[in-house]
Structures are given as structure tokens and as C-alpha cells.
Amino acid sequence: MQQRSASFTRESALPDVGLIAGAAALTAVCAQISFGYPVPTTLQTFAVFASAALLGARRAVAGQLLYLGVGAVGLPVFADGHSGVSWLTSADPLHASGGFLWGFVLGAAIVGVASDRLGRNFYITAPAMLLGSVAVYAVGLTWLHAAIPVPWTGVGATVLHYGLWPFVVGDIAKILAAAAAADSNAPWAPLVDRFVPRNTGV
């Protein structure tokens, strides 16, 4: 009986392990894809929010923690092929965007909880992703402010100039795309389906 129970537990855990690894892998791939000029935007938050809406909080958070762990041990999965534990521990000019990596975990939790409790309808997931994006920026910009000695606001070089304003439009587009990836009934879902395969069995 114990052997059968242990076998059942291992078999039931395998799909979760695969989905968690898939979320981490998707984030790693999207970290290497960027668009926009003059300041490029990666697709990381698309991966974070879409996987959170589809997988729920527990698996999505685990996926982001796995992503951070893989990058910390040296695999080049962070944006622009970066890696190393310093990105997660050192708020300095060389690792000024490290806070956004931690923010992905919090953002995944927020979107995942909304999906778990309220469903994947885009009217739910899109606002949840907007709230998750606020959380990502709250952590990321706080880290950035500690890393670079510039004021939060004002004229010239500021925290918001470096870390927020160039990315707003791209982030809105990623939120709309991630919400459509999670809900096939979103008005803009047909456009997303051309580029993102949909797994309706999750």
C-alpha cells in the first residue's frame, strides 16, 4: 500500500514539475527577445503573467524561483544572456535591474492568486496583470534607486526616467497579449494566436 501511494505521489507530481520547468524556460527565452527603440523592452513580463494566469500561483511562483535559481548558478538566462547570483544580491550600477527579477516572483503570485480564485477571464486577468506589473515596478524601481544615486523624479536623469517611462507602452502591450494567451475569448486573442501556441489543456 505504501509503495503504491509513493508511486502515485511521484506520478501526480510529474506534470507540475514539467509545468514549473516550462514556466522558467519560457521566461528565459523571452528574456532574450527584445523590441523597441531607443530603450529595448524584453518579453519577460509576458512570460511571467501568461504562465501565472494559466498555471496558478503555486506553480507560477515556483517557476519564477526556478528561473532565478538557474540564473544564479550561472546559466545565461537573464536578459542579454546575463547570469550570476550578484544580479539577485547586489544593488549596484552593474546590477541595477536585479530588483525586477525579484519582482517577477511577486507579480506571478498576484496574477496566479487572481487566476486561482476568480478564473482566467481577461476582464479578471488583465487588471490582475496590471496590478502585478505595479508590484514588479515597486520592487524593481526601489532596487534601481538603491543602485543608482539619482532622484526619483525631476528634470534629467531620474529613477522613473531610467526604469519606468520607456517601458510603459511595451508593458501594456505585453499585458494585453498575456491576458489573451490565457483567455481565448479576449477580443484581441486571434492576433495573439498567430504568434503564441495555446495549450487549452492546462
Side-chain angles (χ1 to χ4, degrees):
M1 180 67 68
Q2 290 180 346
Q3 183 177 1
R4 180 180 299 177
S5 177
S7 175
F8 175 77
T9 301
R10 286 194 298 269
E11 291 175 359
S12 61
L14 285 177
D16 278 353
V17 171
L19 291 171
I20 290 168
L26 179 62
T27 307
V29 170
C30 287
Q32 313 312 316
I33 303 172
S34 61
F35 62 93
Y37 181 85
V39 181
T41 298
T42 70
L43 292 181
Q44 282 169 293
T45 51
F46 167 80
V48 172
F49 294 152
S51 61
L54 290 169
L55 304 182
R58 180 175 57 86
R59 292 180 293 190
V61 168
Q64 292 310 309
L65 290 175
L66 176 60
Y67 170 66
L68 298 189
V70 168
V73 300
L75 272 68
V77 296
F78 298 153
D80 296 324
H82 290 300
S83 64
V85 70
S86 295
W87 285 94
L88 305 177
T89 59
S90 301
D92 57 43
L94 293 178
H95 308 94
S97 61
F100 291 96
L101 295 171
W102 287 114
F104 294 159
V105 179
L106 181 57
I110 291 171
V111 176
V113 167
S115 178
D116 287 337
R117 296 185 177 182
L118 302 174
R120 300 176 186 167
N121 184 285
F122 69 93
Y123 288 116
I124 293 168
T125 57
M129 289 173 188
L130 181 60
L131 182 60
S133 186
V134 170
V136 170
Y137 275 108
V139 180
L141 293 177
T142 300
W143 181 291
L144 180 62
H145 182 58
I148 302 177
V150 295
W152 279 94
T153 61
V155 179
T158 66
V159 172
L160 299 184
H161 171 76
Y162 284 132
L164 177 62
W165 303 132
F167 308 107
V168 171
V169 173
D171 281 349
I172 292 174
K174 287 183 287 183
I175 286 172
L176 295 177
D183 180 11
S184 60
N185 292 318
W188 51 89
L191 293 175
V192 176
D193 285 340
R194 295 182 182 180
F195 305 99
V196 181
R198 188 184 305 279
N199 183 0
T200 57
V202 176

